[in-house]
Coordinates of all heavy atoms in Angstrom, one line a residue:
M7 N -42.0 -3.6 18.5 CA -41.1 -4.2 19.5 C -41.8 -4.6 20.8 O -41.4 -5.5 21.5 CB -39.9 -3.3 19.8 CG -38.8 -3.4 18.7 SD -37.9 -4.9 18.8 CE -37.1 -4.8 20.3
N8 N -42.8 -3.8 21.1 CA -43.4 -4.0 22.4 C -44.2 -5.3 22.5 O -45.2 -5.4 21.9 CB -44.4 -2.8 22.7 CG -44.9 -2.7 24.1 OD1 -45.5 -3.6 24.6 ND2 -44.6 -1.6 24.8
V9 N -43.8 -6.2 23.4 CA -44.4 -7.5 23.5 C -45.8 -7.4 24.0 O -46.7 -8.1 23.5 CB -43.5 -8.4 24.5 CG1 -44.2 -9.7 24.7 CG2 -42.1 -8.6 23.9
E10 N -46.0 -6.6 25.0 CA -47.4 -6.4 25.6 C -48.4 -5.9 24.6 O -49.5 -6.3 24.5 CB -47.3 -5.6 26.9 CG -46.6 -6.2 28.0 CD -45.1 -6.2 27.9 OE1 -44.6 -5.4 27.0 OE2 -44.4 -6.9 28.6
L11 N -47.9 -4.9 23.8 CA -48.8 -4.3 22.8 C -49.2 -5.3 21.7 O -50.4 -5.4 21.4 CB -48.1 -3.1 22.2 CG -48.8 -2.4 21.1 CD1 -50.1 -1.7 21.6 CD2 -47.9 -1.3 20.4
I12 N -48.2 -6.0 21.2 CA -48.5 -7.0 20.2 C -49.4 -8.1 20.8 O -50.3 -8.6 20.1 CB -47.2 -7.6 19.6 CG1 -46.5 -6.5 18.8 CG2 -47.5 -8.8 18.7 CD1 -47.3 -5.9 17.7
N13 N -49.2 -8.5 22.0 CA -50.1 -9.5 22.6 C -51.5 -8.9 22.7 O -52.5 -9.6 22.4 CB -49.7 -9.8 24.1 CG -50.7 -10.6 24.8 OD1 -50.9 -11.8 24.5 ND2 -51.3 -10.0 25.8
C14 N -51.6 -7.6 23.0 CA -53.0 -7.0 23.1 C -53.7 -7.1 21.7 O -54.8 -7.5 21.6 CB -52.8 -5.5 23.5 SG -54.4 -4.7 23.8
Y15 N -53.0 -6.7 20.6 CA -53.6 -6.8 19.3 C -53.9 -8.2 18.9 O -55.0 -8.5 18.3 CB -52.7 -6.2 18.3 CG -52.7 -4.6 18.3 CD1 -51.5 -3.9 18.5 CD2 -53.8 -3.9 18.2 CE1 -51.5 -2.5 18.6 CE2 -53.9 -2.5 18.3 CZ -52.7 -1.9 18.5 OH -52.7 -0.5 18.6
N16 N -53.0 -9.2 19.2 CA -53.3 -10.6 18.9 C -54.5 -11.1 19.7 O -55.3 -11.9 19.2 CB -52.1 -11.4 19.2 CG -51.1 -11.5 18.1 OD1 -51.5 -11.6 16.9 ND2 -49.8 -11.5 18.4
Q17 N -54.7 -10.7 20.9 CA -55.8 -11.1 21.7 C -57.1 -10.5 21.2 O -58.2 -11.1 21.2 CB -55.6 -10.8 23.2 CG -54.4 -11.5 23.9 CD -54.6 -13.0 23.8 OE1 -55.7 -13.5 23.9 NE2 -53.4 -13.7 23.7
V18 N -57.1 -9.2 20.8 CA -58.3 -8.6 20.3 C -58.6 -9.2 18.9 O -59.8 -9.4 18.6 CB -58.0 -7.1 20.1 CG1 -59.2 -6.4 19.3 CG2 -58.0 -6.4 21.4
K19 N -57.6 -9.6 18.2 CA -57.8 -10.3 16.9 C -58.4 -11.7 17.1 O -59.4 -12.1 16.4 CB -56.5 -10.4 16.2 CG -56.5 -11.2 14.9 CD -55.1 -11.3 14.3 CE -55.2 -12.2 13.0 NZ -53.8 -12.2 12.4
N20 N -57.9 -12.5 18.1 CA -58.2 -13.9 18.1 C -59.1 -14.3 19.3 O -59.7 -15.4 19.3 CB -56.9 -14.7 18.2 CG -56.0 -14.5 17.0 OD1 -56.5 -14.5 15.9 ND2 -54.7 -14.3 17.2
N21 N -59.1 -13.5 20.4 CA -59.9 -13.9 21.6 C -60.7 -12.7 22.1 O -60.7 -12.4 23.3 CB -58.9 -14.4 22.7 CG -58.1 -15.6 22.3 OD1 -58.7 -16.6 21.8 ND2 -56.8 -15.6 22.4
L22 N -61.4 -12.1 21.2 CA -62.1 -10.9 21.6 C -63.1 -11.1 22.8 O -63.2 -10.2 23.7 CB -62.8 -10.2 20.4 CG -63.5 -8.9 20.7 CD1 -62.5 -7.9 21.1 CD2 -64.2 -8.4 19.4
D23 N -63.9 -12.2 22.7 CA -64.9 -12.4 23.8 C -64.2 -12.5 25.2 O -64.8 -11.9 26.1 CB -65.6 -13.7 23.5 CG -66.6 -13.6 22.3 OD1 -66.8 -12.4 21.9 OD2 -67.0 -14.6 21.8
L24 N -63.1 -13.1 25.3 CA -62.4 -13.2 26.5 C -61.8 -11.8 27.0 O -61.9 -11.5 28.2 CB -61.2 -14.2 26.4 CG -61.7 -15.7 26.3 CD1 -60.4 -16.6 26.0 CD2 -62.4 -16.1 27.5
V25 N -61.3 -11.1 26.0 CA -60.8 -9.7 26.3 C -62.0 -8.9 26.9 O -61.8 -8.2 27.9 CB -60.2 -9.1 25.1 CG1 -59.8 -7.6 25.4 CG2 -58.9 -9.8 24.7
I26 N -63.1 -8.9 26.2 CA -64.3 -8.1 26.7 C -64.7 -8.5 28.0 O -65.0 -7.7 28.9 CB -65.4 -8.2 25.6 CG1 -65.0 -7.4 24.3 CG2 -66.7 -7.7 26.2 CD1 -66.1 -7.5 23.2
K27 N -64.8 -9.8 28.3 CA -65.2 -10.3 29.6 C -64.3 -9.8 30.7 O -64.7 -9.3 31.8 CB -65.2 -11.8 29.6 CG -65.7 -12.4 30.9 CD -65.7 -14.0 30.8 CE -66.2 -14.6 32.1 NZ -66.2 -16.1 32.0
E28 N -63.0 -9.8 30.4 CA -62.0 -9.3 31.4 C -62.1 -7.8 31.6 O -61.9 -7.3 32.7 CB -60.6 -9.7 31.0 CG -59.5 -9.5 32.0 CD -59.7 -10.4 33.2 OE1 -60.4 -11.4 33.1 OE2 -59.0 -10.1 34.3
L29 N -62.3 -7.1 30.5 CA -62.5 -5.6 30.5 C -63.7 -5.3 31.4 O -63.6 -4.3 32.2 CB -62.6 -5.0 29.1 CG -61.3 -4.9 28.3 CD1 -61.7 -4.5 26.9 CD2 -60.3 -3.9 28.9
D30 N -64.8 -6.0 31.2 CA -66.0 -5.7 32.0 C -65.7 -5.9 33.5 O -66.1 -5.1 34.3 CB -67.1 -6.7 31.6 CG -67.7 -6.3 30.2 OD1 -67.6 -5.2 29.8 OD2 -68.3 -7.2 29.6
K31 N -64.9 -6.9 33.8 CA -64.6 -7.2 35.2 C -63.7 -6.1 35.8 O -64.0 -5.5 36.9 CB -63.8 -8.5 35.3 CG -63.2 -8.8 36.7 CD -62.5 -10.2 36.6 CE -61.7 -10.5 37.9 NZ -60.5 -9.6 38.0
I32 N -62.7 -5.7 35.1 CA -61.8 -4.6 35.6 C -62.5 -3.3 35.7 O -62.4 -2.5 36.6 CB -60.6 -4.5 34.7 CG1 -59.7 -5.8 34.7 CG2 -59.7 -3.3 35.1 CD1 -58.6 -5.8 33.8
Q33 N -63.3 -3.0 34.6 CA -64.1 -1.7 34.6 C -65.0 -1.6 35.8 O -65.1 -0.6 36.5 CB -64.9 -1.6 33.3 CG -65.7 -0.3 33.2 CD -66.4 -0.2 31.8 OE1 -65.7 0.0 30.8 NE2 -67.7 -0.4 31.8
S34 N -65.7 -2.7 36.1 CA -66.7 -2.8 37.2 C -66.0 -2.6 38.5 O -66.4 -1.8 39.4 CB -67.4 -4.1 37.2 OG -68.3 -4.2 38.3
E35 N -64.8 -3.3 38.7 CA -64.1 -3.1 39.9 C -63.6 -1.7 40.1 O -63.6 -1.2 41.2 CB -62.9 -4.1 39.9 CG -63.3 -5.6 40.0 CD -62.2 -6.6 39.9 OE1 -61.1 -6.1 39.5 OE2 -62.4 -7.8 40.1
H36 N -63.0 -1.1 39.1 CA -62.5 0.2 39.2 C -63.6 1.2 39.6 O -63.4 2.1 40.5 CB -61.9 0.7 37.9 CG -61.4 2.1 37.9 ND1 -60.1 2.5 38.1 CD2 -62.1 3.3 37.8 CE1 -60.0 3.8 38.1 NE2 -61.2 4.3 37.9
N37 N -64.7 1.1 39.0 CA -65.8 2.1 39.2 C -66.5 1.9 40.5 O -67.2 2.8 41.0 CB -66.8 2.0 38.0 CG -66.2 2.5 36.7 OD1 -65.2 3.2 36.7 ND2 -66.8 2.1 35.6
L38 N -66.3 0.7 41.2 CA -67.0 0.5 42.4 C -66.1 0.7 43.7 O -66.6 1.0 44.8 CB -67.5 -1.0 42.5 CG -68.7 -1.3 41.6 CD1 -69.0 -2.8 41.6 CD2 -69.9 -0.5 42.0
V39 N -64.8 0.6 43.5 CA -63.9 0.8 44.7 C -63.8 2.2 45.2 O -64.1 3.2 44.4 CB -62.4 0.3 44.3 CG1 -62.4 -1.1 44.0 CG2 -61.8 1.2 43.2
S40 N -63.5 2.4 46.4 CA -63.5 3.7 47.0 C -62.1 4.4 46.7 O -62.1 5.6 46.6 CB -63.7 3.6 48.5 OG -62.7 2.8 49.1
D41 N -61.1 3.6 46.6 CA -59.7 4.2 46.4 C -59.3 3.8 44.9 O -58.7 2.7 44.7 CB -58.7 3.7 47.4 CG -57.4 4.4 47.3 OD1 -57.1 4.9 46.3 OD2 -56.7 4.5 48.4
H42 N -59.6 4.7 44.0 CA -59.3 4.3 42.6 C -57.8 4.3 42.3 O -57.3 3.5 41.5 CB -59.9 5.4 41.7 CG -61.4 5.4 41.9 ND1 -62.0 6.3 42.7 CD2 -62.4 4.7 41.3 CE1 -63.3 6.2 42.7 NE2 -63.6 5.2 41.8
D43 N -57.0 5.1 43.0 CA -55.6 5.1 42.8 C -55.0 3.8 43.3 O -54.1 3.2 42.6 CB -54.9 6.2 43.6 CG -55.0 7.6 42.9 OD1 -55.6 7.6 41.8 OD2 -54.6 8.6 43.4

C-alpha cells in the first residue's frame, strides 16, 4: 500500500544509476555536516 516504498523499489529496479548517484550525494552531505540531526 505504501506509495513511497513501491516507488523506491521501482526506482531501484528501473533507475538504479540515478538512485546511486543521489545516495552518494546525500551520504556525503550527511557525513560532512556538523549538525547531523
